[in-house]
Amino acid sequence: MTRLYRLDASAADIAACFGAQAGKDPWVGDYVAPGRPAPVVVRDAKSRIRRVRPMFWGVPPPPSGTDPITSARNLDSPFWVGTLRHTEFRCLIPATSFALWSGPDGARRQHWFAVADQPIFAIAGIIRFADEIPTFAMLTTDPNRLVAHHHSGAMPLILPAEAQERWLTADWKDARALVTPFPGQAMTVSDTPPQ
């Protein structure tokens, strides 16, 4: 599971990439970690217009939890299923790379993964509100062969460009079919974030 990603693009570049309106989002590019704000792309249900909106990474935990939740893996969990069924709570999380760690304690190494032909790619996300503050979490899936070589845990659910609208608008039974590892041969990995 990743707890760090980069979005090295401006809000205007993100909007252009995803056919969205940037509004007044001041994002100019940086890293994103839990609890930090970052732009996501949402689709207005009535106007069908995509918009770039700043939100905080990490949704409020269930009553028994204490820490914000940054990723969703068990999509049958009652905690997530109601949100996933409603398209207005789905979003695209723009990223330029994400980090995962490997190795034993004391000798861990960070690896940065990107999509080779998409300078800005989309991770499937969901939205929740905490006291009217918009928050998001990313969906994860089994690792592909490239990611599994470096990290045995889950990887973010990267959406191919042609699947992004489907994630935002499809019935949950249809959208759920998108929960599959992104092809490893279409990705790159390095020890530092790609420039």
Side-chain angles (χ1 to χ4, degrees), residues 21-39:
Q21 295 179 353
K24 297 180 180 178
D25 192 316
W27 186 263
V28 293
D30 205 349
Y31 75 94
V32 184
R36 287 185 55 119

Side-chain angles (χ1 to χ4, degrees), residues 107-179:
R108 292 172 58 80
R109 292 183 53 205
Q110 190 176 55
H111 305 282
W112 287 90
F113 297 88
V115 176
D117 64 349
Q118 295 179 47
I120 307 172
F121 58 91
I123 298 170
I126 51 178
I127 300 166
R128 288 270 181 93
F129 291 88
D131 297 325
E132 299 187 18
I133 297 171
T135 62
F136 69 93
M138 63 176 57
L139 272 66
T140 60
T141 189
D142 295 329
N144 60 32
R145 182 178 274 169
L146 175 68
V147 172
H149 179 74
H150 299 282
H151 179 83
S152 60
M155 66 177 279
L157 175 56
I158 299 170
L159 295 169
E162 65 275 10
Q164 294 168 6
E165 184 68 8
R166 185 172 159 200
W167 173 252
L168 293 174
T169 63
D171 176 85
W172 173 233
K173 289 181 182 177
D174 182 25
R176 187 176 182 135
L178 298 171
V179 181

Side-chain angles (χ1 to χ4, degrees), residues 27-97:
W27 186 263
V28 293
D30 205 349
Y31 75 94
V32 184
R36 287 185 55 119
V40 300
V41 177
V42 297
R43 184 178 182 272
D44 185 273
K46 291 182 181 178
S47 69
R48 299 182 180 176
I49 294 173
R50 289 185 182 185
R51 290 184 166 74
V52 176
R53 288 196 56 198
M55 297 188 184
F56 288 89
W57 187 17
V59 303
S64 61
T66 57
D67 297 326
I69 300 173
T70 58
S71 63
R73 178 73 191 262
N74 178 4
L75 305 183
D76 294 318
S77 165
F79 185 75
W80 299 116
V81 75
T83 302
L84 290 164
R85 288 181 182 157
H86 298 281
T87 57
E88 65 267 25
F89 296 123
R90 294 188 212 148
C91 68
L92 305 175
I93 304 168
T96 52
S97 60

Side-chain angles (χ1 to χ4, degrees), residues 1-19:
M1 171 179 72
T2 189
R3 293 187 56 84
L4 180 66
Y5 70 92
R6 292 204 62 89
L7 180 49
D8 294 311
S10 69
D13 291 338
I14 295 163
C17 179
F18 292 99

